[in-house]
């Protein structure tokens, strides 16, 4: 099950990078390049899950409630990164450590549940061919839904 392994490996890498960013920030050295790299990677990962994996898995097993929870967490991560960027643009650094820590907490819980509820049931044969990089302007489902309301 190569696809499962690839996504589980992504989770390990994401969490390691997040810890590295937090450790640097604790020393007063926020690695913006690493943070941007991680954010881009996470958003591509979310794109693959929301556009390919979640729909495919929902056909195999009804995971509607679990998937809705994962999508809500994707939106929370998306918003936290936006808050970091907004604060950096304003020169406000007092909450960035808190945002980074919250991202890490969400990732750890989110990733472990995805691996249990989704990845363990994935089968390479039932997975569609996935684009690796999200299209320009793509945002996660719960963010799109929020934007549609406003």
């Amino acid at each position: 099950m190569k696809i499962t392994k690839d996504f589980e490996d992504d989770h390990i890498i994401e969490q390691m990078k997040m810890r590295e960013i937090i450790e640097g920030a604790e020393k007063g050295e926020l690695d913006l390049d690493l943070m941007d790299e991680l954010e881009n990677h996470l958003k591509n990962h979310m794109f693959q899950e929301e556009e390919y994996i979640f729909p495919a898995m929902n056909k195999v097993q009804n995971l509607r409630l679990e998937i809705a929870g994962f999508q809500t967490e994707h939106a929370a991560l998306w918003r936290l990164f936006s808050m970091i960027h907004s604060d950096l643009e304003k020169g406000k650094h007092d909450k960035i450590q808190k945002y980074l820590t919250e991202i890490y907490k969400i990732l750890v819980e989110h990733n472990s549940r995805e691996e249990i509820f989704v990845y363990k049931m994935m089968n390479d044969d039932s997975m569609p061919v996935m684009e690796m990089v999200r299209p320009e302007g793509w945002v996660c489902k719960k963010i799109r839904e929020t934007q549609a309301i406003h």
Side-chain angles (χ1 to χ4, degrees):
M1 293 241 214
K2 183 180 179 340
I3 196 164
T4 301
K5 177 85 169 99
D6 290 347
F7 273 79
E8 287 175 349
D9 288 349
D10 273 357
H11 284 175
I12 293 166
I13 292 166
E14 292 161 0
Q15 290 172 207
M16 284 175 30
K17 286 182 180 181
M18 197 66 231
R19 278 195 308 266
E20 185 177 338
I21 292 166
I22 290 170
E23 288 169 7
E26 288 170 348
K27 297 174 188 171
E29 303 166 4
L30 182 60
D31 188 336
L32 294 176
D33 290 335
L34 183 58
M35 189 178 76
D36 287 344
E37 177 187 319
L38 173 62
E39 180 182 7
N40 188 53
H41 179 86
L42 280 169
K43 288 179 176 181
N44 287 332
H45 187 95
M46 290 177 201
F47 164 72
Q48 292 170 329
E49 288 177 341
E50 291 195 9
E51 298 297 328
Y52 299 102
I53 292 174
F54 293 167
M57 291 312 302
N58 209 28
K59 287 178 187 174
V60 175
Q61 178 125 5
N62 183 358
L63 298 173
R64 188 176 48 84
L65 292 176
E66 290 85 356
I67 289 171
F70 296 140
Q71 290 169 329
T72 298
E73 291 162 348
H74 286 174
L77 293 167
W78 202 284
R79 286 186 181 107
L80 283 162
F81 276 110
S82 293
M83 291 163 66
I84 290 170
H85 291 296
S86 177
D87 281 7
L88 287 172
E89 287 173 16
K90 295 174 187 172
K92 294 171 43 179
H93 298 252
D94 55 322
K95 293 183 182 175
I96 291 176
Q97 184 71 38
K98 177 183 160 192
Y99 298 151
L100 293 170
T101 301
E102 189 62 26
I103 289 170
Y104 182 73
K105 286 179 187 176
I106 291 170
L107 274 178
V108 169
E109 288 294 317
H110 174 88
N111 290 348
S112 66
R113 285 191 352 275
E114 267 184 351
E115 290 170 12
I116 293 166
F117 287 104
V118 177
Y119 296 176
K120 295 296 182 218
M121 294 183 233
M122 286 171 46
N123 179 334
D124 287 347
D125 297 332
S126 64
M127 287 292 111
V129 175
M130 292 187 281
E131 291 182 46
M132 299 310 288
V133 178
R134 71 191 182 287
E136 184 72 32
W138 184 90
V139 296
C140 64
K141 182 179 182 191
K142 296 292 182 181
I143 298 285
R144 281 194 307 268
E145 290 173 353
T146 304
Q147 291 172 343
I149 293 171
H150 297 355

